Amino acid sequence: MTEIDRIDAAVAAIQAAAPGFRPRLGIVLGSGLDACAEAITDPVDISYADIPGFPKPAVDSHAGRLRLGSLGGVPVAMLRGRAHAYEGHPMADVVRPVRTLARLGCNAVVLTNAAGSLREEVGPGRLMAIADHINWSGLNPLTGPNLDALGARFIDMTTAYDPGLRGHLAAAAEGIGLDLAEGVYFWYPGPSFETPAEIRAFRTLGADAVGMSTVPECIALRHMGVKVAGISTITNLAAGMGAGAALDHADVMTTGAGMAMDLARLLTAFAGIAADDL
């Protein structure tokens, strides 16, 4: 079975579970953010276990379910959790769910994540729109034979995160009175947290936040011509920047969960504003 066959099998399973439903916007929820799914009206949930080829997330707070429904008047497909490269999944498995969203009909996808901040003025509890990313992991989901049915061999990443969608995010945030930061996301593949020396290096390179996801999905979606927006929920200051407390994933999830309602409000307002561009 080819990778295209695997993606199309996933599409067929979803369409069989929700006949006639065609999403225009995709959303991927990161760590601690599953409560955002409650913002979707008329929901239909499908377990990843019932979608061929979907990897099951092994990280707490990643529900492993696809929710279909309406958000801000827009038909959406929301991935409630993701698989990560650090779990040992091949890159094709990591990005197959977002490729499936694109084949279902999503013209744009919002990628969300939990991230550590490299800027003291953008501390825990803030949301940050991703303007660009840095990938020095050595990993890329496009490595290997090109999937010509999805996109060209070489893709331009100058506007990896769509400026128009980012403008809609800013307008949505202003409309609901939410203080939305903006910055560059650095993909650190994990699962260990970064060292203070690495954080100093990343800051020198121009990074504003660091996390363990999002970038592979962005690359795969841009390969398919899908617009991408990104939002980091800032859950902690990065290594060496805090008061000496050890970084702990449980704290990341707790802080992320506390931000889920703000993110849900932002996503709902964004969907309504961006509807004509989807």
Side-chain angles (χ1 to χ4, degrees):
M1 179 179 285
T2 68
E3 182 58 24
I4 300 297
D5 291 336
R6 293 185 182 94
I7 296 167
D8 286 346
V11 169
I14 295 166
Q15 291 175 333
F21 184 82
R22 184 177 175 84
R24 290 160 54 200
L25 174 65
I27 300 171
V28 181
L29 296 182
S31 295
L33 301 174
D34 191 61
C36 288
E38 298 305 314
I40 291 182
T41 58
D42 302 319
V44 174
D45 274 332
I46 308 170
S47 171
Y48 289 1
D50 295 326
I51 304 175
F54 265 41
K56 179 174 171 46
V59 179
D60 290 343
S61 84
H62 288 256
R65 300 183 71 81
L66 171 67
R67 175 162 288 188
L68 307 174
S70 180
L71 185 70
V74 174
V76 301
M78 177 180 280
L79 294 171
R80 299 172 61 184
R82 56 161 61 91
H84 301 78
Y86 64 69
E87 297 170 52
H89 298 289
M91 290 301 292
D93 290 2
V94 171
V95 301
R96 190 174 301 126
V98 294
R99 282 173 165 165
T100 299
L101 294 186
R103 295 281 270 195
L104 278 170
C106 293
N107 298 313
V109 174
V110 181
L111 305 172
T112 74
N113 59 58
S117 177
L118 279 64
R119 293 164 51 191
E120 292 182 356
E121 70 274 18
V122 183
R126 290 284 300 277
L127 296 177
M128 186 192 85
I130 300 176
D132 205 345
H133 72 233
I134 298 172
N135 175 17
W136 272 16
S137 69
L139 301 174
N140 191 305
L142 306 185
T143 298
N146 187 55
L147 301 178
D148 294 333
L150 301 186
R153 167 82 279 185
F154 302 104
I155 59 168
D156 179 24
M157 295 291 287
T158 303
T159 54
Y161 299 87
D162 188 75
L165 294 183
R166 197 161 66 252
H168 292 322
L169 280 175
E174 183 178 3
I176 62 174
L178 187 67
D179 188 12
L180 181 67
E182 184 176 298
V184 175
Y185 178 86
F186 192 107
W187 180 34
Y188 184 90
S192 58
F193 287 107
E194 309 77 26
T195 68
E198 288 170 333
I199 292 301
R200 291 194 297 272
F202 300 166
R203 189 186 299 117
T204 299
L205 291 170
D208 299 295
V210 61
M212 303 178 187
S213 66
T214 301
V215 169
E217 296 155 330
C218 176
I219 294 170
L221 288 166
R222 293 304 301 133
H223 180 236
M224 297 178 73
V226 175
K227 295 179 181 179
V228 175
I231 306 170
S232 291
T233 59
I234 302 301
T235 57
N236 58 278
L237 292 176
M241 294 181 59
L247 297 177
D248 189 305
H249 184 65
D251 294 336
V252 170
M253 289 191 296
T254 299
T255 303
M259 302 170 66
M261 290 301 98
D262 277 346
L263 179 60
R265 290 169 55 227
L266 177 61
L267 290 172
T268 302
F270 164 80
I273 289 174
D276 289 342
D277 285 345
L278 302 177

